[in-house]
Amino acid sequence: MPPNYSRKKKSRDPFFDDDSTKRRKVAKVAKVAADEDQDAEIDSGSDEDGFFDSKDEPELVEEVENADETRKRIAKDYLRKFQESARKEKELRDEDDDDEGSDEDDEGARDSIIAQRMIKEQQEESGRIRKAIASRVQLGGDGGFENLVKHKQCVTAVALSEDDLKGFSASKDGGIVQWDVESGKCERYKWPSDSVLKSHGLKAPQGSAKKQSRQMLTLAASSDGRYLATGGLDRHIHIWDTRTREHLQAFPGHRGPVSSLVFREGSTELFSGSFDRTVKIWNVEDRTYMNTLFGHQSEVLSIDCLRKERVLTAGRDRSMQLFKVHEESRLVFRAPASSLECCCFVNNDEFLSGSDDGSIELWGAVRKKPVHILKNAHALLTDSKKSDQKDSEILPNGNLENGYHHPENHHCSSVHSWVSAVTVCRNTDLAASGAGNGFVRLWAIENEAKNIKPLHNVPLDGFVNSLAFAKSARFLVAGVGQEPRLGRWGQIREARNGVSILPLKLS
């Protein structure tokens, strides 16, 4: 660099300087002056003659709430609700008290009640503790199931919306029905044309498979109530809009029938299990495939997921597997039965399963074997009266083989006593199971004793292929058919293909 460079730069002719800075300054001064004049005109009310165009008039800017302000407002409303509830509870508690305390003591007591209640609710929502409601559950209505929705063929799956107002059911005839829980009013989903399905990558079935291509085996509803996912023998996953009942997307990828579907709570992440022994992960919002989970050596029959990225699966390889997606690991639980037909989460660390030997197993995440086995959970009654199955309580659970039966009332069938459906009311100790023996059973899952205690035995003819509890525990819905969900190795002709509902109430 020349030694006189800096000196020349300083003595450069200002004519050659960039005048953008000057122009900006001049424009800024002009804008300030114009704004002052406009303010003066507005204040003086000199626009009575409508001289100024509407574009020059000041626009009313609506304040938009940002994310932090929204969270703050929701938190205040939430806290206000608890404070009102605590205040009422305190007033009821102090009605018979003549000795009135100070306002500070009352306020401290209310704050303590609010804090305890909020901590308990947060623990219940996160699955750390369970609501003990099983002992208070009583059968509502006439004490039995009521027919709600009819289907032409066997119902294979049922699901409920997050608010418990709407339900969904699918059947072997390819019918997908959305219904109102209170009124039973039905709205059917219409299949798109073959050209639309082909545009989504769906391959047309050939030969005999064409007649069965629309048989539904499973469905799942997202937590936000926007999406419904269905799967069946056509090996594709179909995504529907629940608001318009329109077909949105068909996901190809599985090489066998899609047997099970579940959305992760609070998200649009979808998990699918198939007869091709894999579990696939999809993002329904973005319409994308994400990953495939391997591990099962035979067909995947059942799948469940809570809020965490943990997927519970059960299959015909006598195993139940817990996939920890984020950690890219899995736990394998070996069942004593020949096949596990269904499974579900009790909470993040406990699971429930039903098997084809008629038993129900309770599992813990720290043990590879069941914590408790309930044998003969759905033994077939031969007594024509089909009285309440209370005598099964005397059976020493865990020590019986499936072939054992009461000499007068019970016998076990390899088809009708298969436990085909299990479900748990979210974050509670209330569970239910179904089979083909003509009954749906309600259970209490005892936390301390690690035991399964029978509660109610409710008659229901047919194969119970799917069960779903309302989040509020106000009712239980069952998908029933004359045949099992995955085959035709049994038939109950007197059963009705459809959805039945069991009203419940808490004492």
Side-chain angles (χ1 to χ4, degrees):
M1 180 182 295
N4 59 348
Y5 175 79
S6 59
R7 182 165 47 85
K8 287 183 179 180
K9 186 176 181 181
K10 291 180 181 178
S11 61
R12 187 177 179 182
D13 193 338
F15 177 80
F16 297 99
D17 288 343
D18 186 9
D19 62 342
S20 61
T21 305
K22 295 181 180 179
R23 288 199 300 268
R24 285 196 297 268
K25 290 181 179 179
V26 172
K28 185 175 181 181
V29 172
K31 184 177 184 303
V32 170
D35 292 341
E36 290 176 353
D37 292 340
Q38 185 177 3
D39 292 340
E41 290 172 353
I42 293 173
D43 293 338
S44 62
S46 61
D47 194 27
E48 294 179 357
D49 298 332
F51 178 82
F52 292 99
D53 190 70
S54 60
K55 295 181 180 178
D56 298 329
E57 294 180 0
E59 296 181 359
L60 296 177
V61 180
E62 184 179 355
E63 294 185 2
V64 180
E65 194 177 51
N66 58 34
D68 292 336
E69 292 173 344
T70 302
R71 285 193 291 267
K72 186 176 180 180
R73 176 177 55 80
I74 294 174
K76 284 184 177 180
D77 294 340
Y78 189 68
L79 184 60
R80 193 180 299 111
K81 181 187 71 173
F82 272 100
Q83 288 174 340
E84 183 67 20
S85 176
R87 185 184 62 80
K88 292 180 179 179
E89 185 176 335
K90 186 73 168 55
E91 289 176 355
L92 292 174
R93 189 182 300 173
D94 295 342
E95 274 183 357
D96 299 331
D97 265 353
D98 296 333
D99 185 17
E100 295 184 357
S102 64
D103 293 340
E104 293 182 359
D105 294 340
D106 292 344
E107 187 175 351
R110 285 197 299 269
D111 291 343
S112 177
I113 294 172
I114 292 170
Q116 292 175 3
R117 189 171 296 178
M118 292 181 71
I119 291 173
K120 184 178 180 181
E121 184 165 312
Q122 193 275 335
Q123 290 176 337
E124 290 173 348
E125 288 295 327
S126 62
R128 295 180 183 177
I129 62 173
R130 296 200 298 265
K131 299 178 185 177
I133 66 171
S135 59
R136 301 188 290 123
V137 169
Q138 297 180 356
L139 303 181
D142 296 332
F145 278 93
E146 303 169 3
N147 295 325
L148 188 65
V149 180
K150 294 181 180 180
H151 279 266
K152 293 180 181 179
Q153 294 187 21
C154 170
V155 174
T156 55
V158 293
L160 292 169
S161 61
E162 192 72 16
D163 56 7
D164 296 336
L165 298 179
K166 293 187 298 184
F168 309 91
S169 55
S171 67
K172 288 186 177 182
D173 60 7
I176 304 169
V177 180
Q178 177 178 315
W179 32 270
D180 184 82
V181 172
E182 295 294 334
S183 63
K185 182 181 178 181
C186 298
E187 296 174 327
R188 296 188 178 273
Y189 285 61
K190 185 178 179 181
W191 275 92
S193 63
D194 293 340
S195 60
V196 173
L197 294 177
K198 288 180 181 179
S199 67
H200 293 162
L202 188 143
K203 297 180 181 179
Q206 302 294 329
S208 60
K210 190 173 183 179
K211 297 180 180 179
Q212 301 176 344
S213 62
R214 291 186 180 179
Q215 282 194 17
M216 294 289 103
L217 299 179
T218 181
L219 58 76
S222 61
S223 300
D224 59 6
R226 295 169 56 195
Y227 300 110
L228 179 71
T230 62
L233 297 187
D234 67 351
R235 302 174 297 168
H236 290 71
I237 299 164
H238 298 274
I239 307 300
W240 309 80
D241 189 334
T242 59
R243 296 164 294 184
T244 60
R245 303 189 305 280
E246 293 181 357
H247 188 273
L248 299 178
Q249 185 72 35
F251 288 141
H254 280 294
R255 295 180 295 173
V258 179
S259 58
S260 49
L261 292 167
V262 65
F263 279 95
R264 186 164 69 91
E265 289 182 7
S267 73
T268 57
E269 194 173 3
L270 178 69
F271 298 90
S272 60
S274 170
F275 280 20
D276 63 6
R277 303 177 294 176
T278 66
V279 174
K280 292 186 182 294
I281 310 175
W282 315 83
N283 190 314
V284 174
E285 183 73 26
D286 299 334
R287 314 284 200 273
T288 56
Y289 158 80
M290 297 177 65
N291 199 4
T292 300
L293 307 177
F294 299 92
H296 279 283
Q297 303 302 312
S298 188
E299 296 95 333
V300 179
L301 302 182
S302 181
I303 192 169
D304 195 20
C305 182
L306 295 179
R307 191 167 292 272
K308 288 186 176 181
E309 276 193 300
R310 293 186 176 186
V311 187
L312 185 69
T313 59
R316 286 207 175 114
D317 55 359
R318 296 180 57 187
S319 75
M320 184 170 62
Q321 303 193 17
L322 178 65
F323 292 90
K324 300 180 180 180
V325 180
H326 185 70
E327 303 173 14
E328 296 184 353
S329 63
R330 64 187 174 99
L331 299 176
V332 181
F333 305 89
R334 298 293 177 184
S338 59
S339 174
L340 290 177
E341 296 293 314
C342 49
C343 68
C344 68
F345 276 101
V346 177
N347 53 39
N348 290 321
D349 299 317
E350 290 182 308
F351 333 113
L352 206 63
S353 66
S355 60
D356 63 356
D357 68 349
S359 63
I360 297 175
E361 299 87 11
L362 178 64
W363 307 76
V366 296
R367 289 187 59 182
K368 296 299 181 67
K369 294 183 178 181
V371 176
H372 179 77
I373 300 178
L374 181 67
K375 299 278 186 175
N376 275 349
H378 284 270
L380 188 65
L381 284 174
T382 58
D383 190 350
S384 59
K385 295 181 181 179
K386 291 188 177 181
S387 59
D388 195 77
Q389 202 176 357
K390 291 293 184 182
D391 54 341
S392 64
E393 298 178 22
I394 64 174
L395 301 178
N397 296 327
N399 298 318
L400 291 178
E401 296 296 329
N402 194 44
Y404 179 90
H405 61 272
H406 193 281
E408 295 179 1
N409 294 330
H410 294 84
H411 76 276
C412 291
S413 169
S414 61
V415 175
H416 294 81
S417 63
W418 286 13
V419 181
S420 52
V422 291
T423 187
V424 175
C425 187
R426 185 185 298 176
N427 298 329
T428 71
D429 58 346
L430 178 63
S433 63
N437 71 324
F439 289 91
V440 170
R441 306 207 68 183
L442 302 183
W443 311 91
I445 302 175
E446 297 181 344
N447 191 24
E448 300 296 333
K450 301 295 182 183
N451 192 13
I452 303 174
K453 180 182 177 181
L455 293 176
H456 301 282
N457 205 43
V458 189
L460 183 61
D461 290 331
F463 287 95
V464 181
N465 295 317
S466 184
L467 291 168
F469 269 113
K471 312 300 183 298
S472 58
R474 293 188 298 111
F475 58 88
L476 171 70
V477 293
V480 188
Q482 296 180 352
E483 302 171 349
R485 179 174 76 100
L486 299 176
R488 292 185 170 180
W489 45 78
Q491 190 174 29
I492 303 175
R493 294 187 179 275
E494 61 270 19
R496 294 183 178 180
N497 296 318
V499 179
S500 298
I501 185 169
L502 175 66
L504 301 173
K505 59 182 180 179
L506 300 179
S507 60

